[in-house]
Amino acid sequence: MRKTLLVLLLTLVAALLCASDFDIVRADFEISVSEGRVYTITETLSYDFHRPSHGVIRYIPLDGAGADVVYVSEQWQAGVEDGFLVIRIGDPSRLVDGVHDYTITYSLSPGRDRYQDYDEVYLDLYSTYDESVDNVTFSIAMPDDISSCRWWATYGPYGSTETVGTDLVDGRMLVGALDHLGPGEGVTVRIELPEGYFAFSDHSVAAFVATLVLSLVLVVLMGVMYLRFGRDEDPVIVPTFSPPDGLSPLEVGYLFDSSDDGHDYAAMVWYWADKGLLEVEEIGGDQGFVLHRKGRPDEACPEYERSLFDALFASGDDVALDSVRLYPAIEKSVRPALRRRFERGREALYDCRSQRMQTIAMALGVLYAVAMAFLTAVNDSRFGLYAFFILAFQFIFSCLVFWSLNRRIPTTLQNVMYALLIIFITLMSAAMLNGVCISAGISRTLVHAMTVVMTVALSAISGLAAAMKRRSAYAQDVLGRILGYRDFLENVEMDRLRALIDEDPEYFYHNLSYAIVLGLEKEWAGKAESIALSPASWYIGPSPVTSYMFYSVMADRFSRTFTSSCLVPPRVSSSRFHGASGSHSGFSGFSGGGIGGGGSRSW
């Protein structure tokens, strides 16, 4: 008996805790639909409060529609939060209990529908959370006759097909009534109308003409700017058997492709080894490499080179490669100083005027994206932001691809891959813009042409903007010498190389670090493979070296270890966010899925 009473008591307590603060005893909805598809909705709701409350908070889903509160019968505040029109009704200094009526008038502007074959009204009237609603009545006044149209009024959980009894009054007013809505249920009305029922202004042709004219004008203007200020002359290739005077592998790598990467930094180890500043010991059994310091770069070397060397041996004269962490030093002192050296002055990589022109070109590209977003949304401004984001992402990613292409000497395969990537980005942007244009009401006969024009033009603009920077006279001269040296490393004749190594047995090692930064270490080692070997004095290994190709393979292993260990950013400790995670009972769905509807909360 005691167990039974305990179970009943717990059930009663749970029911009290889960009960809603109110129920709605009467709900009336009067809706007027304009010729421009604006819904003006007046709700009269009678709340039966089960416990004293200040009032209610009405949540109305917008699904992208514009909203405006016209009238509320009591003190109120309103705003848009997370896609909901939120109306807080009531006096914070007063509590209400029992039955209390509230009247709200607001308008929703969903704009054009997304269908080309018909127009529609798709509206949720109310969706319950954990409350119930009795005596629901509604009327929808249309701007013109709908007697030949189809309509549906449904209620229940989301996806329900239970129908509400409706009548058509005077050919243009749909009325209906429903006795009860339970928790987690809603009521939805949908009217399918002939295409053109709603009157919207159509500026599709003007938008297309403006798109075509602006695109042609800007592409031509950017082309002229590129030819006048941005186009690089072909560098004069100077054949040479040695790297450019006074430049380390790090500097050659940066001047060659305007960036410093892991191979450039790894090559500095072989550069210092060749200068007698360190020894490289390889431990057997895949245990890695140990570096032994034998000296230090002299004061004539750039400060960033000395900083990099000191960071390499920060923990002592003998360091295991996999324990070295160079990333902080590179980010803090090495990379900024390296870039500063080649950004301004006599050794600046790019012509100052062309850099200013590139800034102007980038600004014109952004302005073009804004203009095209406006023209896309000329019939429905709600879609302008979507169009701008699509075009902005296309512009940014296309600029990055073109910039990556322009900063190096690409192979035929790389040119093909970059071209395919640009085509993919352009097609993806056009496909997404196609949907936005259709949703915004652009004529279907012009949508494809309009999106193709603006996306192709934007790809061309981004390519011209990215290529606008012209190399300086200094950069042209150095690039010519680097290309001549690179051609030598790749295509040197065997007899010539044998003579150079006979003259200087260390000649292969003097050039190894530069071959690494130019991506030719395998080709360089392959050229020397048939020449008598003179082992490197700076290498210590578990077995004797019998081939020049050994150094190429070892350099590849070293670079992988160097990149995966030395250049990894430090882990950022993450603190877990602790806090109370509130929960509330929500509705499981409602019959419709249109705008409007939503439910209420007490406060």
Side-chain angles (χ1 to χ4, degrees):
M1 183 65 179
R2 290 181 179 178
K3 290 183 178 180
T4 303
L5 290 176
L6 180 60
V7 170
L8 291 174
L9 179 60
L10 291 175
T11 302
L12 178 61
V13 171
L16 291 174
L17 290 174
C18 296
S20 172
D21 292 342
F22 60 83
D23 288 305
I24 299 177
V25 296
R26 183 175 64 87
D28 180 67
F29 301 89
E30 294 183 6
I31 302 157
S32 175
V33 183
S34 73
E35 292 182 352
R37 200 170 177 240
V38 176
Y39 308 146
T40 302
I41 304 168
T42 298
E43 301 177 353
T44 301
L45 306 175
S46 296
Y47 290 82
D48 183 7
F49 292 98
H50 305 320
R51 54 179 65 91
S53 302
H54 294 290
V56 295
I57 303 175
R58 183 78 170 88
Y59 297 92
I60 303 167
L62 296 178
D63 193 25
D68 184 37
V69 179
V70 178
Y71 169 78
V72 180
S73 59
E74 296 197 10
Q75 184 175 333
W76 61 281
Q77 293 178 322
V80 176
E81 300 176 9
D82 299 326
F84 286 81
L85 173 61
V86 181
I87 308 174
R88 180 187 293 267
I89 311 171
D91 188 342
S93 63
R94 184 171 66 92
L95 295 174
V96 295
D97 199 1
V99 178
H100 199 81
D101 293 343
Y102 297 100
T103 299
I104 311 169
T105 300
Y106 57 93
S107 64
L108 300 177
S109 304
R112 299 168 182 266
D113 58 47
R114 301 175 183 176
Y115 309 101
Q116 293 290 321
D117 299 329
Y118 59 89
D119 290 347
E120 71 168 3
V121 169
Y122 199 171
L123 188 64
D124 297 324
L125 302 182
Y126 194 89
S127 307
T128 62
Y129 294 145
D130 45 18
E131 75 273 18
S132 64
V133 182
D134 294 326
N135 303 313
V136 179
T137 58
F138 61 88
S139 64
I140 303 177
M142 300 296 294
D144 204 350
D145 185 83
I146 61 169
S147 55
S148 61
C149 302
R150 298 190 298 170
W151 61 82
W152 300 264
T154 56
Y155 75 96
Y158 182 87
S160 172
T161 58
E162 294 292 329
T163 58
V164 180
T166 57
D167 292 303
L168 186 62
V169 179
D170 297 331
R172 54 183 294 272
M173 180 176 289
L174 190 66
V175 298
L178 180 67
D179 292 334
H180 179 76
L181 279 177
E185 296 184 339
V187 57
T188 299
V189 177
R190 179 172 180 263
I191 306 173
E192 190 175 293
L193 305 161
E195 176 65 21
Y197 180 89
F198 293 115
F200 297 103
S201 56
D202 189 354
H203 305 290
S204 300
V205 174
F208 173 74
V209 172
T211 298
L212 188 61
V213 171
L214 285 175
S215 300
L216 288 174
V217 168
L218 191 55
V219 169
V220 171
L221 175 62
M222 295 278 282
V224 172
M225 290 173 60
Y226 170 73
L227 293 175
R228 178 68 178 83
F229 301 105
R231 184 175 61 176
D232 282 313
E233 299 294 335
D234 291 333
V236 178
I237 298 177
V238 180
T240 178
F241 304 147
S242 59
D245 294 337
L247 294 177
S248 69
L250 177 60
E251 293 156 351
V252 168
Y254 187 81
L255 290 167
F256 182 63
D257 58 16
S258 303
S259 69
D260 53 316
D261 56 29
H263 280 82
D264 298 342
Y265 288 105
M268 290 299 292
V269 174
W270 309 111
Y271 175 72
W272 289 323
D274 181 61
K275 289 184 171 297
L277 302 180
L278 59 83
E279 290 179 345
V280 179
E281 180 180 3
E282 187 173 14
I283 308 300
D286 295 330
Q287 296 183 42
F289 297 87
V290 176
L291 305 180
H292 306 282
R293 178 163 57 185
K294 297 300 179 181
R296 186 177 184 273
D298 57 41
E299 294 300 319
C301 293
E303 183 181 351
Y304 51 80
E305 182 179 333
R306 299 196 301 273
S307 298
L308 182 63
F309 188 89
D310 291 341
L312 185 64
F313 291 100
S315 61
D317 291 339
D318 305 291
V319 295
L321 186 65
D322 58 7
S323 68
V324 175
R325 298 294 179 265
L326 294 178
Y327 185 85
I330 290 175
E331 288 297 310
K332 183 178 180 180
S333 57
V334 178
R335 178 172 289 139
L338 176 67
R339 292 182 176 177
R340 281 196 303 271
R341 173 180 173 180
F342 297 111
E343 281 180 355
R344 59 180 67 92
R346 187 185 65 82
E347 295 180 317
L349 289 184
Y350 297 105
D351 177 74
C352 293
R353 186 167 56 172
S354 71
Q355 292 185 23
R356 291 194 294 270
M357 289 298 106
Q358 184 178 56
T359 301
I360 294 173
M362 289 292 183
L364 288 174
V366 174
L367 290 176
Y368 177 79
V370 173
M372 293 303 103
F374 172 78
L375 292 174
T376 297
V378 68
N379 286 334
D380 192 335
S381 61
R382 295 178 306 140
F383 293 92
L385 190 59
Y386 299 114
F388 175 73
F389 279 133
I390 293 170
L391 292 166
F393 277 116
Q394 181 195 349
F395 182 65
I396 292 170
F397 283 115
S398 297
C399 283
L400 290 175
V401 172
F402 281 117
W403 174 81
S404 181
L405 179 65
N406 290 330
R407 72 185 180 89
R408 64 187 67 196
I409 309 298
T411 63
T412 302
L413 178 60
Q414 286 175 328
N415 276 321
V416 171
M417 295 301 295
Y418 280 112
L420 291 175
L421 184 56
I422 288 295
I423 292 172
F424 173 76
I425 293 172
T426 304
L427 291 177
M428 286 293 295
S429 179
M432 290 186 288
L433 275 177
N434 194 74
V436 171
C437 287
I438 291 174
S439 299
I442 299 294
S443 171
R444 272 190 183 272
T445 58
L446 297 176
V447 161
H448 299 305
M450 187 169 174
T451 55
V452 168
V453 167
M454 67 175 63
T455 53
V456 170
L458 190 60
S459 290
I461 290 167
S462 61
L464 291 168
M468 193 66 69
K469 281 200 302 186
R470 182 164 58 193
R471 288 189 296 268
S472 65
Y474 168 78
Q476 282 283 90
D477 175 64
V478 172
L479 181 60
R481 287 186 284 147
I482 291 175
L483 291 176
Y485 176 58
R486 185 174 186 268
D487 182 68
F488 163 73
L489 293 176
E490 188 174 16
N491 301 307
V492 60
E493 295 179 358
M494 190 67 63
D495 292 341
R496 179 60 178 166
L497 181 58
R498 181 177 288 107
L500 291 169
I501 292 178
D502 288 342
E503 182 180 340
D504 181 1
E506 298 290 318
Y507 184 79
F508 173 84
Y509 307 110
H510 296 335
N511 295 276
L512 178 60
S513 58
Y514 293 93
I516 291 172
V517 300
L518 296 174
L520 296 175
E521 63 270 25
K522 291 182 180 179
E523 288 80 356
W524 180 237
K527 294 289 184 181
E529 185 64 14
S530 62
I531 301 174
L533 175 70
S534 175
S537 59
W538 43 260
Y539 174 72
I540 305 171
S543 58
V545 179
T546 59
S547 167
Y548 282 111
M549 188 60 72
F550 168 84
Y551 292 101
S552 170
V553 176
M554 182 185 64
D556 183 64
R557 291 198 307 271
F558 184 92
S559 293
R560 289 201 300 270
T561 303
F562 188 89
T563 303
S564 62
S565 298
C566 303
L567 302 183
V568 175
R571 293 183 179 180
V572 180
S573 60
S574 59
S575 58
R576 188 180 299 273
F577 176 76
H578 297 281
S581 59
S583 62
H584 59 81
S585 59
F587 55 90
S588 61
F590 44 86
S591 56
I595 64 170
S600 308
R601 295 287 185 200
S602 62
W603 67 284

